[in-house]
Amino acid sequence: MQVISCNPRLFSLINRSTQHFNLRPFSSSSSSSAYSSQSRGGLPRFFSETLLTTKGGVVRVKGDEFWHMTKVLRLGIDDRVELFNGKGGLVEGRIESIDRSGVDFEAVENPKLVSPPTTQWHVFAAFSTLKGGRADWLVEKCTELGASSVTPLLTVRSQSISENRADRLQRVVLAAAKQCQRLHEMILKPPIAVGELLPVVANSRLAFLAAAEATPVFNALSSLNKEPNGIIIIGPEGDFTEEEMNSLREAGAIAVGLGPHRLRVETATMALLSTVMLWSDCQEFASN
């Protein structure tokens, strides 16, 4: 048998370091009140196209949200939850009753209406050829990062997207909005071709085009004035054709580089969207 010796000094350091932490076991409670106090913060939030107008009103919650509320999270009568409508409306309430078809939600406060964020960036990305959940991931992260809209871009190398896939992506948007506590739902727009995008680029205050060997994005941003609105354009796997690239630049898109490596469509989208969102937020914070 091999005996492993331990350095006494090392053991002493480890023992001393653990004394600085207050370790508590996780609660084994399965109640919904334990759920609401978890680190994700706030009350469980669910989507409803219809919101109440006054305290004490009751609205019916059915379908997928009803299933998630009662079967997944196992919430029950009198548990507190929130409803939002994806348009800035939010109301806190409780589950008044449950039956086989749905939940009756009673508002315990007057609803709130939150204005849309001043930062508005729109994503045009050629992701129709992505497989294995990569398109879902792209749309999910765009929602979390705060994109105002995502539009599938049809190009020579990315020519179509099915209606079934569009429906699935819409469900991804809703789930991501709930997870990140976003009150204004990101809009998933119908696909457009590069030719249809050109007037959008021409009428935008800022339009960034991810391109290999272009000016690094931070260099480009450093020479620009404050701007909370604009669009970002990401090409397909295999990139835009030379003709597509030239037409976008001629319409006014600013080509920006995202580093020395060749990036996947979803990676390039996240890199550029994160950059412009943080840049816009920084500019807004400085102006306040």
Side-chain angles (χ1 to χ4, degrees):
M1 178 185 296
Q2 183 180 8
V3 178
I4 303 175
S5 62
C6 179
N7 187 320
R9 183 170 178 272
L10 177 61
F11 179 81
S12 176
L13 288 173
I14 295 173
N15 186 49
R16 191 185 314 158
S17 66
T18 59
Q19 295 175 2
H20 295 286
F21 295 94
N22 181 18
L23 302 178
R24 295 182 298 171
F26 287 107
S27 171
S28 60
S29 171
S30 60
S31 68
S32 58
S33 59
Y35 170 84
S36 65
S37 64
Q38 289 177 4
S39 60
R40 61 182 293 177
L43 296 172
R45 184 174 293 178
F46 303 92
F47 176 78
S48 174
E49 291 185 358
T50 303
L51 284 190
L52 304 157
T53 56
T54 59
K55 177 181 177 180
V58 176
V59 68
R60 187 75 167 168
V61 179
K62 300 188 293 184
D64 291 343
E65 296 299 85
F66 163 58
W67 176 268
H68 189 208
M69 190 183 295
T70 58
K71 303 300 182 182
V72 178
L73 300 182
R74 299 188 178 279
L75 299 176
I77 292 175
D78 286 332
D79 281 336
R80 291 292 187 96
V81 296
E82 292 176 334
L83 294 186
F84 79 110
N85 62 0
K87 299 176 177 62
L90 178 69
V91 61
E92 181 179 335
R94 70 179 188 91
I95 298 174
E96 182 185 59
S97 63
I98 304 173
D99 57 38
R100 290 185 177 182
S101 63
V103 160
D104 288 327
F105 168 93
E106 180 188 11
V108 299
E109 294 183 358
N110 288 321
K112 304 171 185 176
L113 183 61
V114 178
S115 299
T118 55
T119 300
Q120 301 274 336
W121 284 93
H122 303 272
V123 176
F124 294 82
F127 59 83
S128 67
T129 59
L130 301 188
K131 296 179 175 62
R134 290 165 55 198
D136 291 8
W137 189 89
L138 181 150
V139 169
E140 178 186 77
K141 300 312 170 189
C142 282
T143 305
E144 293 178 11
L145 287 171
S148 294
S149 69
V150 168
T151 304
L153 186 57
L154 305 181
T155 73
V156 171
R157 298 187 174 112
S158 179
Q159 296 185 350
S160 65
I161 183 168
S162 68
E163 290 186 9
N164 290 340
R165 196 173 197 188
D167 290 342
R168 173 181 172 79
L169 292 176
Q170 189 59 59
R171 293 194 296 271
V172 170
V173 170
L174 176 58
K178 289 161 56 180
Q179 187 277 329
C180 70
Q181 303 280 289
R182 175 174 174 162
L183 291 180
H184 291 84
E185 189 177 357
M186 187 186 76
I187 300 171
L188 184 63
K189 294 187 175 182
I192 66 170
V194 172
E196 299 173 280
L197 178 59
L198 299 181
V200 178
V201 173
N203 293 322
S204 297
R205 294 183 178 180
L206 273 182
F208 291 117
L209 170 64
E213 300 180 358
T215 302
V217 62
F218 283 109
N219 289 31
L221 291 174
S222 65
S223 63
L224 296 172
N225 295 324
K226 301 175 184 177
E227 186 53 63
N229 305 311
I231 68 175
I232 68 171
I233 307 165
I234 310 294
E237 293 183 328
D239 211 346
F240 291 111
T241 64
E242 185 176 353
E243 181 181 352
E244 289 171 332
M245 188 73 75
N246 289 338
S247 64
L248 288 166
R249 285 178 166 175
E250 290 171 3
I254 302 171
V256 293
L258 301 175
H261 303 129
R262 183 171 62 184
L263 304 180
R264 291 180 180 270
V265 177
E266 66 273 28
T267 309
T269 304
M270 294 306 101
L272 187 49
L273 178 60
S274 299
T275 300
V276 297
M277 289 295 298
L278 293 172
W279 175 70
S280 295
D281 287 347
C282 180
Q283 300 286 9
E284 182 181 356
F285 180 81
S287 64
N288 293 334

